[in-house]
């Protein structure tokens, strides 16, 4: 048996806080059993994983931009590649704070200091890589950054009840978010 990551059922992906995305199909990687660096410089590595067929990759930035990428449109790189532009950060204070693979049925929960919002994945358009993304969580006066974003394929329960997934233009709900994935 091997204890390495099997890419036979999907695409390996990595997302960096500076907006870079890297995909790999496993070709040219060392045999399982050896630790493999995702890229030559992993200082900005945020998260990595393996996507299943039919999943897209969503990146969420601190300034409440979201971009949804079709993984199959990003050329895979070997171990020496440092990735390609996934999302363009227009603001020097911006960075990628969350990334996850998604399906249309799911939802994204975004959280600021005093507000939260559940956005339907189906309302996040697929874009070409390197774009600025679209706004999906409107800030109120005094807010300028998201604290966190999470994905659930079943939706979310917030403050004890199911939270309706909204479209991107809808405003956020007031109050702290005590949350968990629906059905958890």
């Amino acid at each position: 048996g091997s204890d390495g990551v099997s890419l036979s059922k999907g695409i390996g992906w990595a997302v960096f806080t500076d907006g870079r995305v890297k995909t790999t199909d496993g070709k040219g990687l060392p045999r399982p059993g050896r630790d493999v660096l995702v890229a030559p410089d992993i200082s900005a590595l945020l998260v990595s994983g393996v996507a299943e067929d039919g999943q897209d990759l969503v990146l969420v930035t601190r300034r409440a931009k979201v971009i949804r990428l079709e993984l199959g449109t990003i050329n895979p790189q070997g171990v020496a590649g440092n990735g390609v532009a996934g999302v363009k950060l227009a603001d020097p204070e911006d960075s990628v704070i969350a990334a996850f693979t998604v399906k249309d049925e799911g939802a994204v929960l975004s959280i600021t200091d005093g507000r939260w919002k559940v956005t339907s994945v189906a309302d996040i358009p697929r874009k070409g890589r390197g774009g600025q993304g679209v706004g999906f969580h409107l800030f109120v006066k005094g807010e300028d950054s998201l604290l966190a974003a999470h994905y659930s394929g079943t939706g979310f329960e917030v403050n004890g009840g199911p939270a309706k997934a909204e479209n991107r233009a809808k405003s956020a709900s007031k109050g702290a978010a005590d949350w968990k994935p629906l059905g958890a």
Side-chain angles (χ1 to χ4, degrees), residues 12-170:
W13 58 270
V15 173
F16 299 82
T17 55
D18 61 10
R20 284 177 296 133
V21 171
K22 180 175 177 175
T23 64
T24 179
D25 53 15
K27 291 190 179 101
L29 293 181
R31 291 270 168 252
R34 281 188 53 202
D35 284 342
V36 179
L37 280 179
V38 172
D41 176 11
I42 58 165
S43 58
L45 180 65
L46 177 67
V47 63
S48 61
V50 178
E52 298 167 22
D53 280 347
Q55 288 185 320
D56 290 336
L57 184 63
V58 164
L59 280 63
V60 177
T61 79
R62 182 173 308 287
R63 296 289 189 241
K65 296 285 191 201
V66 62
I67 194 164
R68 181 175 175 184
L69 306 170
E70 285 183 79
L71 280 165
T73 65
I74 302 170
N75 290 335
Q77 292 185 311
V79 73
N82 258 322
V84 295
V87 62
K88 182 179 177 198
L89 303 173
D91 175 346
E93 298 291 306
D94 205 359
S95 62
V96 177
I97 61 161
F100 21 75
T101 51
V102 301
K103 290 193 169 175
D104 258 354
E105 308 80 56
V108 175
L109 171 67
S110 49
I111 301 170
T112 64
D113 262 336
R115 295 186 175 263
W116 59 271
K117 180 176 178 201
V118 176
T119 303
S120 169
V121 168
D123 196 51
I124 302 171
R126 289 181 179 92
K127 297 274 190 192
R129 65 171 192 80
Q132 288 189 14
V134 294
F136 79 111
H137 183 120
L138 302 172
F139 291 138
V140 296
K141 190 176 169 139
E143 290 181 334
D144 68 355
S145 61
L146 290 179
L147 299 180
H150 306 278
Y151 168 77
S152 168
T154 56
F156 290 93
E157 186 179 295
V158 180
N159 301 332
K164 185 176 180 311
E166 306 280 5
N167 63 24
R168 293 191 328 259
K170 193 96 168 143

